[in-house]
Amino acid sequence: MKSEICLKTKMTKNLHKGFTLVETVLALGIVATVMVTLMALLPTGMDIMKEAGTNTVGARIANQLVSEIQLSDYEKIQQWNGKEYYFDDMGTQLTKDDQESKNRRIYTARIEVDETNPELPGKNENKYLRRVVVKVAGYMGGIKPDFTDPPSDGDQTKKVKKDYRSYWTYIVDTQKDSRD
């Protein structure tokens, strides 16, 4: 009789160990819901990370080109207008024109120098300033980027999608005092 009671007690203890089917299904449902939510956030995070990297490299490229223009002679600044330069994924300028360099090309930059002197508030025109625009675009799949400005339909508040990012600055003629 005593062994029968011990056997029933052991069987009862064994029956209460572990999870029931309902508990297991609920736990799997919660885990699956959380996993699906997290997986849905991954593409958005990757896009944001790629955009941040592209902006950083584009700013580095523009800064490098503007620095080169600032070091050149102000009288010859117009020679930079329309020039294109090619860069790899880290923003390093590619100087060779061989096939390997073409395969490594990720960014294309175009320099535009305004031919007219900019107008400043309070003055008609300042002959000691030039506006320089550096446009940086991704170069994917062998397709040359389009640097033309898209039409804005006259609405200044409307954002227009471009295939490039623009960085602009004014270059100052620092030797103006010696010529006056």
Side-chain angles (χ1 to χ4, degrees):
M1 180 83 161
K2 190 174 184 181
S3 65
E4 214 175 283
I5 292 175
C6 280
L7 187 60
K8 282 186 180 181
T9 308
K10 282 183 180 180
M11 288 174 77
T12 312
K13 283 183 182 178
N14 286 342
L15 288 176
H16 293 295
K17 285 184 179 179
F19 298 108
T20 64
L21 181 62
V22 173
E23 291 171 331
T24 306
V25 169
L26 279 174
L28 283 174
I30 291 171
V31 168
T33 303
V34 169
M35 290 296 286
V36 166
T37 304
L38 290 177
M39 294 300 279
L41 292 176
L42 277 177
T44 304
M46 295 296 284
D47 287 345
I48 290 172
M49 189 173 79
K50 181 182 175 189
E51 180 82 17
T54 300
N55 290 343
T56 301
V57 172
R60 178 176 175 219
I61 290 168
N63 191 23
Q64 176 183 342
L65 292 174
V66 166
S67 296
E68 288 179 29
I69 296 169
Q70 286 175 331
L71 290 173
S72 67
D73 186 19
Y74 185 79
E75 298 300 321
K76 298 178 182 173
I77 203 170
Q78 204 61 37
Q79 74 182 0
W80 292 87
N81 194 24
K83 286 192 174 182
E84 287 190 2
Y85 297 91
Y86 305 106
F87 298 85
D88 66 5
D89 60 336
M90 299 301 289
T92 305
Q93 188 171 349
L94 301 172
T95 54
K96 296 180 182 173
D97 201 24
D98 59 354
Q99 189 60 38
E100 182 183 342
S101 292
K102 287 182 181 178
N103 292 340
R104 291 179 44 218
R105 187 184 305 175
I106 301 293
Y107 297 101
T108 302
R110 172 179 274 167
I111 298 171
E112 294 178 3
V113 180
D114 287 350
E115 293 184 19
T116 60
N117 296 325
E119 292 183 16
L120 297 176
K123 269 193 142 183
N124 292 342
E125 183 178 288
N126 190 328
K127 62 181 177 179
Y128 303 114
L129 288 178
R130 287 275 195 230
R131 183 171 182 256
V132 175
V133 180
V134 179
K135 296 178 178 180
V136 181
Y139 184 89
M140 298 295 176
I143 301 170
K144 287 199 92 161
D146 182 18
F147 287 111
T148 57
D149 293 323
S152 63
D153 300 330
D155 186 6
Q156 298 294 335
T157 60
K158 182 180 175 184
K159 290 220 176 212
V160 179
K161 178 75 172 139
K162 300 179 283 191
D163 294 335
Y164 60 87
R165 295 191 62 72
S166 292
Y167 305 89
W168 63 271
T169 189
Y170 288 112
I171 304 295
V172 180
D173 183 6
T174 56
Q175 297 181 1
K176 65 179 171 65
D177 293 334
S178 64
R179 285 195 294 261
D180 286 343

